[in-house]
C-alpha cells in the first residue's frame, strides 16, 4: 500500500498535473475523476492503467482511431429512474439511447481491434453489449427527442384529430380576419398570439362589434386581442385533444420507464465505463503533449530516468518558446543516495522535483516524459521536504517545522522509501544544523532508503563521498559567464560560487575580501578547490566530446580506407590472374603459330600432330607438378605443427612436475608441528578450517562448526594455535 501525504502532493505540484489532465476530459464525470487520481496500491491494476493509456496514445499515430466516447451526464436521471413508479422525460430517454449506442460502438471496435488494444478490450469485455435499450427507446422517441406519432394506437388517432381541428381553427380564423379587416376593424398588425392562442388585433373602438372572447389588450389600450367566436369552439376542442395527448404521452413514458428500469445498473456501468475511457483519453492526450512514454517497471530496486523532463516546466517553456533541459538520474542498490550541491538558481530543486513528480505520476497510472529505455520500480512511500516550510497556523519556525518533518521521516522511512529533501539542514546554526542533518542522512542510509537531497553544507558533501552506497552530484555552472547550465553531473560535489556570484552582481571587491577573511581559510580553500575541479571537469567534458567526435570520424575514415584497400587488393589479384592467363595463351599461340608455319612449308601431318601433342603434354605436366608440390607442402606444414604442439605439451608437463617437486621439498623442509586439542587445522588437500576437539592415538576429531569429522593426524595441516 503506497503512502503519499497531502504535503508531498503539494510539494511536487501534483494537482497542477491533474488539473491539466482534467481540462482535456470531454465529460463532467471524467473531469471530476481526473482530479481525484491517486496512486494505485495494486501493481496489476496500475500496470493495466498504464498500458491502457499507452494503447490509447498509440491510436494517435495508427490508422485505427478510437471512436467518440462523449456522453451527457445521466447521474440525476438514473437516480430518478431508481424511484418506483417514477417516469423520465423524453429528453432523458434520448440521452440514454445515445449513451447505449456510444458504448456499443466502442465494445464492437475494441473487439475488432483487440490486437492493437488488448488491455482496453479486456476492460470493454467486462461490459454487457445489448441493443434492447436502443430498440425500446427508438420505438417511442425520434432522433430529435420527440415522441413519435405511432408510439401507440391511441396517440396516432389523437394527433390525427388534432391535425384536423387545427385546420378548422386556421380556416375559421382566416375567414374572420378577412371579414373584419374589410370592415376596417383591425390594426395594421392584424393578428397576434396570447397564451399560445391565435387572436385578432382589433382597434379598441370596434371591440364591441367583433364577436368573440377578449383575451387581453396592448399596453396603451389601443388594441384589444379577441379570439373570433367561430374559432373559439374549435380551440376548445383542440385544448381537449391536447390534454388527451399529454395523458397518453405520460402513459407511454411510464411504460417505457418500466421497460428500461431493469437496466438501471447496466446504465450506471455504461456511464462508469465511458467516464473511465474519458480519463484514459485525457491522460493519453497529456502524454502526447509532453512526449511521455511507459518506462520499464522492474522488480529490482533501481530507478533510472534518462533524459527526464519536468512536465509542468516543459509545458510552460513550450508556451514561452523556451528550451527545457532534460536530466539523467540513476538510483540503485549500490548508489542509493545522491547529494546535489552547487549554486542557487542552478536547477537543483527542479532536478529533485522532477524525480519525485515523475515517480508519483507513474504510480498514479500516468505516462512520463523520459527516454524509452528508462526504468524504475514501485516505492511504498514518497517523502518530501521541499520549499518554504514556515507554518503560520501552528506558530512554528522553518527549522521547527523541518525538525517535525524529519521526525515523521524517521518513523516512516524504510527500504522501499523514496525521500526528497531540498536545502537539507538549513534553518538553524550552520554547524549545529549541519551536524544534525548528517546524523539524519546516516540514519536514512542505514535503513537502505533511496533519496536525493540538495545542500550547501560541506560536511554532507564529505559524508556522501565517504559512504560506499552514496554519491555526490552537482549542477554545472559556467565559470566564465557565471550562468547556470542546468545539467546534472553525477560523481562530484559542486561549489556554491558564493563570492563569484556576489562579484558578478556588483558587490564591491573590497567587501568580498573582508567577507573571505571572516570565515575559516580551510572552508574557502575547500570551496575553491571544488570550484577549480568543476572548471576542470567542464573543460575535460568539452575535450572528451571533441575527442569522441574525432575518434568517431577517424574510425569511419579507417573503415572507408579498409574497404577501398580490400577492393583495390581484390582488383589487383584479379588483374594478375587475368594477366597470367593471357601470357599463357599468348605463349601457346606463338607455339601453335610456329608449328603451323612449319606445316605450311613441309606439309608433314605427322610432325604437326607430334608437335601439338608435345605442347599439350607439357601443359598437363605443369598442372600435375603444381598439385603434387602443394600436397608435399601441406604435409610438411602439418608435421611441423604436430611437432611444435608436442614440444609445447612436454614443456608444460616438465614445468608442472618441477613445481610439484619444489612444493614437496618446501613442505618437507617445514618443521613438524605437534598438533594438540584446540589448534585450528585444515586438510592438506582441502580449504575448510576447523578446530581439534579430541585426539585419539593417530586420529583427531575436527569440528567444522556445522559438523565434525575424524581425520588422520598425518593428513592435517597446522593453521593457528588455540
Amino acid at each position: 500500500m503506497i503512502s503519499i501525504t497531502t504535503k508531498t502532493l503539494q510539494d511536487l505540484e501534483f494537482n497542477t498535473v491533474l488539473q491539466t489532465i482534467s481540462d482535456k476530459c470531454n465529460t463532467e464525470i471524467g473531469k471530476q475523476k481526473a482530479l481525484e487520481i491517486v496512486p494505485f496500491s495494486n501493481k496489476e491494476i496500475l500496470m493495466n492503467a498504464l498500458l491502457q493509456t499507452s494503447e490509447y496514445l498509440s491510436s494517435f499515430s495508427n490508422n485505427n482511431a478510437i471512436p467518440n466516447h462523449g456522453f451527457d451526464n445521466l447521474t440525476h436521471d438514473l437516480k430518478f429512474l431508481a424511484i418506483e413508479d417514477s417516469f423520465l422525460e423524453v429528453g432523458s430517454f434520448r440521452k440514454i439511447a445515445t449513451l447505449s449506442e456510444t458504448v456499443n460502438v466502442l465494445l464492437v471496435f475494441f473487439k475488432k481491434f483487440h490486437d492493437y488494444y488488448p488491455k482496453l478490450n479486456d476492460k470493454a469485455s467486462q461490459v454487457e453489449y445489448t441493443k434492447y435499450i436502443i430498440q425500446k427507446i427508438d420505438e417511442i422517441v425520434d432522433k430529435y427527442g420527440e415522441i413519435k406519432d405511432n408510439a401507440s394506437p391511441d396517440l396516432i388517432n389523437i394527433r390525427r384529430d388534432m391535425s384536423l381541428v387545427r385546420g378548422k381553427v386556421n380556416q375559421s380564423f382566416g375567414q374572420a380576419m378577412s371579414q373584419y379587416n374589410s370592415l376596417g376593424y383591425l390594426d395594421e398588425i392584424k393578428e397576434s398570439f396570447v397564451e399560445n392562442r391565435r387572436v385578432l388585433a382589433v382597434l379598441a373602438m370596434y371591440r364591441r362589434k367583433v364577436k368573440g372572447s377578449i383575451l387581453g389588450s396592448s399596453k396603451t389600450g389601443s388594441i384589444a386581442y379577441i379570439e373570433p367566436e367561430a374559432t373559439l369552439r374549435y380551440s376548445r376542442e383542440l385544448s381537449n385533444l391536447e390534454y388527451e395527448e399529454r395523458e397518453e404521452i405520460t402513459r407511454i413514458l411510464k411504460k417505457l420507464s418500466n421497460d428500461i428500469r431493469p437496466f438501471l445498473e447496466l446504465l450506471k456501468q455504461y456511464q462508469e465505463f465511458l467516464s473511465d475511457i474519458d480519463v484514459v483519453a485525457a491522460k493519453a492526450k497529456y502524454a502526447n503533449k509532453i512526449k511521455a512514454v511507459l518506462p520499464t517497471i522492474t522488480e529490482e530496486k533501481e530507478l533510472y530516468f534518462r533524459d527526464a523532463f519536468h512536465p509542468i516546466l516543459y509545458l510552460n517553456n513550450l508556451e514561452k518558446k523556451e528550451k527545457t533541459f532534460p536530466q539523467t538520474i540513476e538510483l540503485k542498490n549500490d548508489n542509493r543516495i545522491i547529494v546535489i550541491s552547487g549554486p542557487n538558481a542552478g536547477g537543483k530543486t527542479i532536478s529533485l522535483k522532477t524525480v519525485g513528480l515523475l515517480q508519483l505520476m507513474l504510480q498514479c497510472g500516468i505516462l512520463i516524459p523520459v527516454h524509452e529505455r528508462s526504468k524504475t520500480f514501485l516505492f511504498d512511500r514518497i517523502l518530501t521536504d521541499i520549499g518554504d516550510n514556515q507554518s503560520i497556523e501552528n506558530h512554528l519556525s522553518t527549522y521547527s517545522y523541518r525538525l517535525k518533518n524529519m521526525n515523521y521521516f524517521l518513523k516512516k522511512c524504510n527500504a522501499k522509501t523514496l525521500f526528497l529533501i531540498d536545502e537539507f539542514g538549513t534553518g538553524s546554526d550552520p554547524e549545529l544544523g549541519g551536524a544534525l542533518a548528517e546524523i539524519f542522512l546516516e540514519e536514512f542510509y542505514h535503513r537502505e532508503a533511496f533519496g536525493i537531497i540538495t545542500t550547501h553544507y560541506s560536511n554532507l558533501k564529505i559524508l556522501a563521498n565517504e559512504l560506499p552506497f552514496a554519491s555526490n552530484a552537482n549542477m554545472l555552472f559556467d565559470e566564465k559567464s557565471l550562468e547556470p547550465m542546468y545539467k546534472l553531473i553525477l560523481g562530484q560535489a559542486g561549489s556554491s560560487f558564493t563570492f563569484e556570484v556576489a562579484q558578478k552582481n556588483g558587490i564591491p571587491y573590497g567587501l568580498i575580501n573582508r567577507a573571505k577573511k571572516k570565515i575559516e581559510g580551510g572552508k574557502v580553500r575547500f570551496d575553491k578547490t571544488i570550484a577549480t575541479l568543476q572548471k576542470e571537469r567542464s573543460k575535460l567534458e568539452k575535450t572528451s566530446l571533441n575527442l569522441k567526435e574525432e575518434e568517431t570520424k577517424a574510425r569511419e575514415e579507417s573503415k572507408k580506407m579498409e574497404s577501398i584497400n580490400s577492393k583495390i587488393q581484390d582488383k589487383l589479384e584479379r588483374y594478375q590472374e587475368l594477366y597470367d592467363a593471357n601470357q599463357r595463351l599468348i605463349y601457346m599461340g606463338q607455339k601453335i603459330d610456329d608449328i603451323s608455319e612449319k606445316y605450311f612449308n613441309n606439309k608433314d601431318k605427322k610432325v604437326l600432330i607430334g608437335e601439338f601433342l608435345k605442347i599439350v603434354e607439357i601443359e598437363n605436366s605443369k598442372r600435375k607438378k603444381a598439385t603434387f608440390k602443394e600436397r608435399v607442402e601441406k604435409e610438411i606444414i602439418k608435421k611441423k605443427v604436430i611437432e611444435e604442439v608436442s614440444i609445447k605439451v612436454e614443456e608444460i608437463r616438465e614445468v608442472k612436475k618441477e613445481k610439484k617437486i619444489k612444493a614437496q621439498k618446501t613442505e618437507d623442509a617445514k618443521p613438524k608441528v605437534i598438533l594438540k586439542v584446540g589448534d585450528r587445522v585444515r586438510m592438506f588437500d582441502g580449504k575448510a578450517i576447523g578446530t581439534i576437539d579430541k585426539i585419539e592415538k593417530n586420529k583427531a576429531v575436527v569440528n567444522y562448526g556445522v559438523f565434525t569429522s575424524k581425520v588422520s593426524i598425518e593428513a592435517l595441516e597446522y593453521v593457528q594455535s588455540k
Side-chain angles (χ1 to χ4, degrees), residues 308-347:
F309 288 94
H310 190 285
I312 301 169
L313 182 67
Y314 178 79
L315 290 180
N316 287 343
N317 285 347
L318 204 64
E319 283 182 19
K320 296 175 191 173
K321 296 183 178 176
E322 291 179 3
K323 187 181 178 183
T324 309
F325 296 89
Q327 303 298 343
T328 297
I329 297 173
E330 184 173 18
L331 293 171
K332 49 188 177 180
N333 269 325
D334 58 0
N335 186 33
R336 297 192 297 268
I337 296 172
I338 295 175
V339 177
I340 305 176
S341 49
N344 289 329

Side-chain angles (χ1 to χ4, degrees), residues 413-431:
C413 201
N414 61 27
K416 283 194 173 182
T417 300
L418 174 66
F419 67 88
L420 306 162
I421 307 171
D422 191 29
E423 299 296 347
F424 195 27
T426 56
S428 177
D429 176 275
E431 287 188 18

Side-chain angles (χ1 to χ4, degrees), residues 130-343:
T130 177
K131 285 191 172 182
Y132 181 83
I133 296 170
I134 301 165
Q135 286 169 355
K136 276 291 173 187
I137 293 171
D138 283 349
E139 285 171 8
I140 306 299
V141 185
D142 65 18
K143 61 181 179 180
Y144 304 108
E146 300 291 335
I147 299 291
K148 290 181 177 179
D149 292 347
N150 60 354
S152 75
D154 288 344
L155 184 64
I156 199 166
N157 291 330
I158 291 167
R159 285 187 172 173
R160 191 186 297 118
D161 292 343
M162 285 173 71
S163 182
L164 291 170
V165 172
R166 279 198 188 98
K168 290 176 182 178
V169 167
N170 290 335
Q171 188 182 1
S172 61
F173 186 86
Q175 288 172 354
M177 188 168 67
S178 299
Q179 179 190 345
Y180 293 122
N181 188 44
S182 62
L183 294 170
Y185 294 167
L186 302 183
D187 185 60
E188 287 179 0
I189 62 170
K190 294 180 186 177
E191 64 174 301
S192 186
F193 280 89
V194 176
E195 297 173 4
N196 207 28
R197 289 161 75 175
R198 202 174 174 192
V199 292
L200 294 170
V202 180
L203 294 168
M205 63 183 77
Y206 301 118
R207 69 176 181 271
R208 293 184 185 279
K209 293 185 178 183
V210 176
K211 291 180 181 179
S213 174
I214 298 174
L215 298 181
S217 61
S218 63
K219 288 180 181 178
T220 58
S222 60
I223 300 171
Y225 298 118
I226 300 172
E227 186 175 15
E229 189 176 36
T231 306
L232 194 59
R233 179 165 53 88
Y234 294 123
S235 292
R236 284 174 186 153
E237 190 178 343
L238 185 62
S239 295
N240 291 337
L241 287 169
E242 284 173 347
Y243 174 76
E244 286 178 24
E245 182 193 34
R246 285 195 298 274
E247 287 294 301
E248 181 60 17
I249 286 172
T250 301
R251 189 191 67 77
I252 290 166
L253 291 176
K254 280 183 177 178
K255 184 178 181 304
L256 184 58
S257 296
N258 289 333
D259 289 340
I260 299 299
R261 192 171 281 116
F263 297 93
L264 181 63
E265 289 305 316
L266 182 62
L267 291 170
K268 287 179 182 177
Q269 190 185 8
Y270 279 0
Q271 189 164 259
E272 194 71 16
F273 170 69
L274 288 182
S275 59
D276 284 347
I277 295 294
D278 192 27
V279 174
V280 171
K283 288 195 287 188
K285 289 172 193 171
Y286 180 69
N288 195 39
K289 187 78 174 171
I290 61 173
K291 295 182 172 61
V293 296
L294 173 58
T296 306
I297 309 291
T298 67
E299 291 297 326
E300 293 177 18
K301 288 177 66 180
E302 184 178 3
L303 181 150
Y304 174 58
F305 287 156
R306 177 178 164 187
D307 296 338
F309 288 94
H310 190 285
I312 301 169
L313 182 67
Y314 178 79
L315 290 180
N316 287 343
N317 285 347
L318 204 64
E319 283 182 19
K320 296 175 191 173
K321 296 183 178 176
E322 291 179 3
K323 187 181 178 183
T324 309
F325 296 89
Q327 303 298 343
T328 297
I329 297 173
E330 184 173 18
L331 293 171
K332 49 188 177 180
N333 269 325
D334 58 0
N335 186 33
R336 297 192 297 268
I337 296 172
I338 295 175
V339 177
I340 305 176
S341 49

Side-chain angles (χ1 to χ4, degrees), residues 41-80:
S41 54
N42 182 292
K43 186 182 177 183
E44 189 181 347
I45 299 170
L46 168 63
M47 290 309 299
N48 279 337
L50 287 167
L51 290 167
Q52 284 167 17
T53 308
S54 188
E55 286 173 9
Y56 206 110
L57 178 62
S58 70
S59 74
F60 299 148
S61 54
N62 64 34
N63 296 323
N64 305 310
I66 295 171
N68 167 55
H69 56 264
F71 66 95
D72 291 320
N73 190 346
L74 280 163
T75 305
H76 176 73
D77 306 81
L78 296 179
K79 281 181 182 176
F80 194 68

Side-chain angles (χ1 to χ4, degrees), residues 659-675:
K659 280 184 179 177
K660 200 171 183 181
I661 293 163
K662 197 176 180 182
Q664 190 63 46
K665 283 179 182 177
T666 309
E667 190 61 39
D668 293 342
K670 279 184 183 178
K672 195 73 176 175
V673 179
I674 298 167
L675 299 176

